[in-house]
Amino acid sequence: MTATKRCIRAEDLYQIRYTSDPQLSPNGKSVAFVETMIDEQRQYRNHLVLQSLDSKDLTSLTVGAVRDTFPRWSPDGATISFVSNRSGTPQIWLIDAKGGEARQLTRCKTGVSNPIWSPDGKHIVFSSMLSPEDSFSDVEGESKKEVQKVIVVNRMKYKSDDHGYIYDKSKQIAIVNVESGEMRAISEGPYNHTVGAWSPDGEWLAITANRAENPDKQHSIDVYLVPFSGGEWKKVTKSKGTFFFPTWSPDGKKLALIGSESDTHLHAAQKRVWVYNLENDEQTCITAEWDVQVGDSTIGDVRSPGHPNPGAVWREDGKGMYFIASERGNSGIYHTTLDGQITQIVGGSRNVYGFSLHEKAQKLIMVVSDTASPGDLVEVDLDTKEEQRLTDVNHDLFAELELPAVEEIEFEAEDGWKLHGWLMKPVGYQQGQKYPMVLQIHGGPHSMYGNTYFHEFQVLAAKGYAVLYTNPRGSFGYGERFVQACCGDYGGNDYLDLMSAVKYACNHFDFVDETRLGVTGGSYGGLMTNWIVGQSNQFKAAVTDRSICNWLSFYGVSDIGYYFTAEEIMANPFNNPEKMWHHSPLRLAANIETPLLIMHGEQDHRCPIEQAEQLYIALRYHDKAPVSFIRFPGASHELSRSGDPQQRVLRLEYTADWFESYLLTAEKASV
């Protein structure tokens, strides 16, 4: 380590900033984007920033203790709409593109999301979560009824890790007049609807929705065309699979969709680009022969969830589209023609997680992260493919830090499957010395580790650990067969893949001390951590985070449990409880001798805290391994990514302290 630099610390999270959601102006001369940071009160703040592409000057459009997101230009480029919580709940606000005071447009009691301008700039479509007794005209801050003494639940999907207890609420869509503020609902019923895009002539809205007879049991998501002036909806897709992010061709005769027709795989289906032709009602998958996941599947811990996906962005001549895809730990930007000829536009060892295109100006603005950068804007000249970095929001902080080296690895599983991952060296690495190693296991399981910034890995490397992270079967980025290979086989070949990674690292990196190994992961990664320490004593310490230990109880308590288990475990408690118990790490609790730290959020609806409670009590009962249980009040499943900043830092400190007790302390005592 150089004398002028220091190791990164968990609390450096409070200083890290990142950019997102770039939006090029209609004239292509400037870009609006969101900059996210944590303030002195340890609260998230999002501000809108405007950058000139000629002068490169930056202008802060919004400041203060606010969360301003989703900037969108009016068609004439004079106004920018955005979503802000400055009035208490997220509402649509408008601001002059030259700056000034923002004007509040909506005052919906339940807040709004995803506002999109009409082509003539006179209206904005948006969505909101409503109960049957609510309306879009209900004003924020006004309550119609007293606090309920009882709540009657009638739906299976009555809670959500994103929204908490939703009971009978559903996402509805409305249109607001920009001048008068007058609103008109365009959807209703016990169905969730998501804003898509306006047709070029402004006469139709493309939206997505699950309007099945029983949306709790039928999970297809269809695309609908809704006439702006009212009237009958047109259903585009066939209630088979899931489709998202509809975008219109410039002539309004076609729709591009991202999705899959798979009925058996909701989570593990590889997404592709489709085109629906309005003139002949034909739907075609134009990337059918390309075995690559469309969209960004990279997982990180310094980016807000739900980053807007631009979908497939059409060329002006309507002969092709640009889109993001994920492959082998990288996500880049690709172009496809209508006959499926695919070309990579932006590649490299990095994570592109958003972009905006202005074809006339031949400019593309993307947001990019890599292993040493949380996220900045980059301008791409589409003619020359030359790139220019526009922002460097962490320059001052990262100039102080010594960051670890990262090496990409390739190895084979026990059955010969090709596997891929990374080994992050400890900061201050010196040749000839031995270092403890921590295996990190991602969640999902259908996500992807990649060439992106991961604060947790950086903190562990700064503490003196090698960090091994890999994509076992079940991960996106390696083809559809690979991503679906763990379904019905949790704890089988995916477990062997992880152990093969450890074996490879121990055999090929002489600085790895195979007598001092740790393992950790969250969600599915927590499940596999539990499974590993129930199968093996190879690891000297483990940290399980937001985990699953019992599929039988998970079925009825998770917000996705009853249908997730059907796809992922291929069983339910009624047709094959033995299989569900077989894949449950709780079954192995009596075998666990590895010191285990259990951490869990108390408001986690995805993997509810009863999973952690069961595991903790079982380990205490068997009294074979040191175990500690850390509960985070108010925390959801997003604890480690977008949860309370102070809880995120505490979680990192507890993790590092646990590993230090079992992987570093013994070494220090023997010196």
Side-chain angles (χ1 to χ4, degrees):
M1 187 181 308
T2 64
T4 59
K5 295 199 174 187
R6 64 170 176 86
C7 290
I8 200 167
R9 299 183 289 258
E11 60 267 27
D12 286 325
L13 177 71
Y14 298 139
Q15 299 185 59
I16 291 176
R17 298 174 174 232
Y18 53 91
T19 63
S20 62
D21 202 6
Q23 297 293 318
L24 274 161
S25 60
N27 63 11
K29 294 184 177 181
S30 56
V31 58
F33 62 93
V34 179
E35 184 175 354
T36 300
M37 70 287 295
I38 297 171
D39 68 12
E40 294 179 355
Q41 285 71 47
R42 306 298 189 241
Q43 299 294 317
Y44 293 108
R45 301 302 175 207
N46 308 92
H47 296 152
L48 304 187
V49 182
L50 190 65
Q51 182 163 30
S52 166
L53 297 182
D54 293 328
S55 67
K56 309 305 179 190
D57 290 342
L58 290 167
T59 303
S60 295
L61 286 177
T62 65
V63 295
V66 293
R67 301 204 70 175
D68 297 337
T69 60
F70 211 83
R72 294 296 181 271
W73 293 85
S74 61
D76 63 5
T79 305
I80 296 174
S81 66
F82 61 100
V83 176
S84 177
N85 69 345
R86 59 185 63 199
S87 64
T89 54
Q91 303 292 341
I92 302 173
W93 291 70
L94 306 174
I95 191 169
D96 191 295
K98 297 177 182 178
E101 291 295 320
R103 172 173 75 90
Q104 187 171 356
L105 180 60
T106 62
R107 290 175 169 79
C108 298
K109 184 180 75 172
T110 55
V112 309
S113 61
N114 292 64
I116 303 293
W117 290 85
S118 63
D120 61 8
K122 296 180 179 180
H123 297 88
I124 293 177
V125 63
F126 65 94
S127 61
S128 184
M129 292 291 291
L130 301 180
S131 296
E133 64 270 20
D134 292 333
S135 75
F136 285 102
S137 60
D138 294 340
V139 178
E140 61 176 333
E142 295 183 1
S143 178
K144 283 187 173 183
K145 55 189 177 182
E146 297 179 0
V147 176
Q148 293 171 289
K149 302 296 183 183
V150 298
I151 297 172
V152 178
V153 176
N154 293 308
R155 296 193 58 182
M156 297 176 76
K157 293 181 180 178
Y158 66 90
K159 60 182 177 179
S160 157
D161 198 67
D162 294 327
H163 302 288
Y165 288 100
I166 54 178
Y167 300 118
D168 56 356
K169 290 182 180 179
S170 55
K171 185 183 289 187
Q172 305 297 342
I173 297 177
I175 296 172
V176 60
N177 185 293
V178 173
E179 286 300 319
S180 68
E182 180 182 353
M183 285 184 285
R184 173 168 60 92
I186 65 169
S187 69
E188 61 181 5
Y191 315 108
N192 286 312
H193 307 80
T194 300
V195 174
W198 294 84
S199 62
D201 59 12
E203 294 184 5
W204 294 87
L205 278 163
I207 70 167
T208 59
N210 176 359
R211 293 175 63 90
E213 182 177 350
N214 186 345
D216 284 345
K217 290 186 176 180
Q218 298 162 274
H219 306 292
S220 57
I221 297 177
D222 285 301
V223 176
Y224 292 86
L225 300 184
V226 181
F228 169 70
S229 57
E232 186 176 352
W233 293 20
K234 177 179 176 61
K235 185 177 173 184
V236 169
T237 49
K238 307 169 186 175
S239 295
K240 184 178 182 182
T242 54
F243 291 90
F244 311 92
F245 316 119
T247 57
W248 294 83
S249 63
D251 62 7
K253 296 180 180 180
K254 297 181 181 68
L255 279 172
L257 317 172
I258 307 295
S260 164
E261 282 192 336
S262 173
D263 279 334
T264 56
H265 291 285
L266 291 174
H267 301 87
Q270 190 143 276
K271 303 300 185 291
R272 293 180 163 87
V273 180
W274 302 67
V275 170
Y276 172 78
N277 190 320
L278 278 74
E279 294 183 311
N280 59 17
D281 288 333
E282 289 186 358
Q283 182 177 322
T284 306
C285 181
I286 60 173
T287 62
E289 303 304 317
W290 194 53
D291 195 15
V292 174
Q293 166 75 352
V294 172
D296 174 27
S297 297
T298 317
I299 191 168
D301 64 352
V302 290
R303 202 183 321 142
S304 298
H307 178 84
N309 187 325
V313 180
W314 287 84
R315 282 169 36 182
E316 286 193 334
D317 61 10
K319 295 182 179 180
M321 290 150 281
Y322 297 86
F323 59 93
I324 294 175
S326 299
E327 188 173 17
R328 290 184 53 80
N330 300 311
S331 55
I333 300 175
Y334 296 77
H335 173 269
T336 181
T337 59
L338 294 182
D339 61 357
Q341 300 299 309
I342 299 167
T343 306
Q344 187 179 66
I345 304 300
V346 173
S349 297
R350 54 188 174 177
N351 170 207
V352 177
Y353 57 94
F355 75 94
S356 181
L357 172 72
H358 196 292
E359 196 175 15
K360 276 187 179 177
Q362 283 295 285
K363 292 178 181 176
L364 183 150
I365 308 296
M366 59 185 183
V367 277
V368 179
S369 175
D370 57 36
T371 57
S373 173
D376 277 294
L377 265 63
V378 175
E379 179 181 355
V380 181
D381 185 310
L382 289 176
D383 286 327
T384 65
K385 301 298 186 294
E386 291 183 359
E387 299 183 9
Q388 181 179 4
R389 185 168 178 164
L390 297 179
T391 64
D392 192 0
V393 294
N394 292 294
H395 176 271
D396 291 346
L397 172 62
F398 278 59
E400 302 175 6
L401 303 176
E402 184 81 11
L403 299 181
V406 180
E407 183 170 335
E408 198 165 345
I409 60 174
E410 296 187 21
F411 55 100
E412 284 192 358
E414 287 193 7
D415 59 0
W417 280 39
K418 304 297 183 183
L419 300 173
H420 178 228
W422 297 262
L423 186 76
M424 183 178 286
K425 289 184 176 180
V427 175
Y429 163 79
Q430 294 182 8
Q431 191 171 354
Q433 289 197 14
K434 290 281 192 177
Y435 298 90
M437 183 179 75
V438 174
L439 169 67
Q440 287 273 358
I441 310 172
H442 68 62
H446 310 301
S447 57
M448 178 182 78
Y449 276 148
N451 287 301
T452 195
Y453 182 86
F454 220 112
H455 188 60
E456 180 172 336
F457 299 175
Q458 298 281 346
V459 169
L460 289 175
K463 293 284 187 179
Y465 304 96
V467 181
L468 174 65
Y469 51 109
T470 182
N471 287 322
R473 65 194 75 189
S475 306
F476 274 124
Y478 305 88
E480 191 161 60
R481 180 184 175 216
F482 192 91
V483 75
Q484 294 176 3
C486 72
C487 296
D489 189 41
Y490 276 42
N493 283 317
D494 52 353
Y495 161 69
L496 296 176
D497 289 352
L498 292 165
M499 300 305 284
S500 295
V502 173
K503 182 178 179 180
Y504 175 88
C506 290
N507 289 341
H508 285 77
F509 295 96
D510 58 8
F511 59 87
V512 172
D513 185 347
E514 60 184 301
T515 69
R516 292 187 291 145
L517 301 177
V519 58
T520 185
S523 195
Y524 165 84
L527 165 81
M528 292 307 297
T529 298
N530 300 338
W531 187 266
I532 284 171
V533 297
Q535 299 273 359
S536 169
N537 290 329
Q538 185 174 358
F539 296 88
K540 302 307 178 187
V543 179
T544 185
D545 185 14
R546 301 162 295 133
S547 73
I548 299 169
C549 76
N550 184 351
W551 288 108
L552 286 161
S553 64
F554 178 85
Y555 175 89
V557 297
S558 168
D559 62 346
I560 63 171
Y562 68 94
Y563 58 92
F564 187 82
T565 53
E567 174 183 338
E568 299 294 321
I569 304 303
M570 295 186 174
N572 66 44
F574 317 110
N575 65 17
N576 198 344
E578 295 82 10
K579 182 172 176 58
M580 299 187 79
W581 184 240
H582 170 76
H583 293 286
S584 298
L586 188 64
R587 176 177 64 84
L588 307 171
N591 300 339
I592 296 176
E593 297 179 355
T594 305
L596 182 65
L597 174 62
I598 302 170
M599 295 193 289
H600 219 106
E602 290 188 345
Q603 297 301 315
D604 189 332
H605 292 307
R606 185 60 41 84
C607 298
I609 197 169
E610 60 89 27
Q611 294 284 308
E613 292 168 339
Q614 289 185 66
L615 183 61
Y616 174 71
I617 293 300
L619 292 178
R620 281 294 190 192
Y621 175 80
H622 291 293
D623 200 24
K624 293 179 65 177
V627 61
S628 185
F629 184 16
I630 308 295
R631 302 169 67 102
F632 291 89
S636 74
H637 200 61
E638 284 296 312
L639 166 65
S640 66
R641 297 182 284 265
S642 61
D644 176 87
Q646 293 181 79
Q647 289 184 329
R648 290 176 63 189
V649 170
L650 285 169
R651 174 188 163 275
L652 291 173
E653 291 174 342
Y654 281 125
T655 299
D657 289 348
W658 188 261
F659 284 132
E660 181 175 2
S661 296
Y662 296 98
L663 302 184
L664 292 181
T665 303
E667 176 202 30
K668 292 175 182 177
S670 64
V671 174

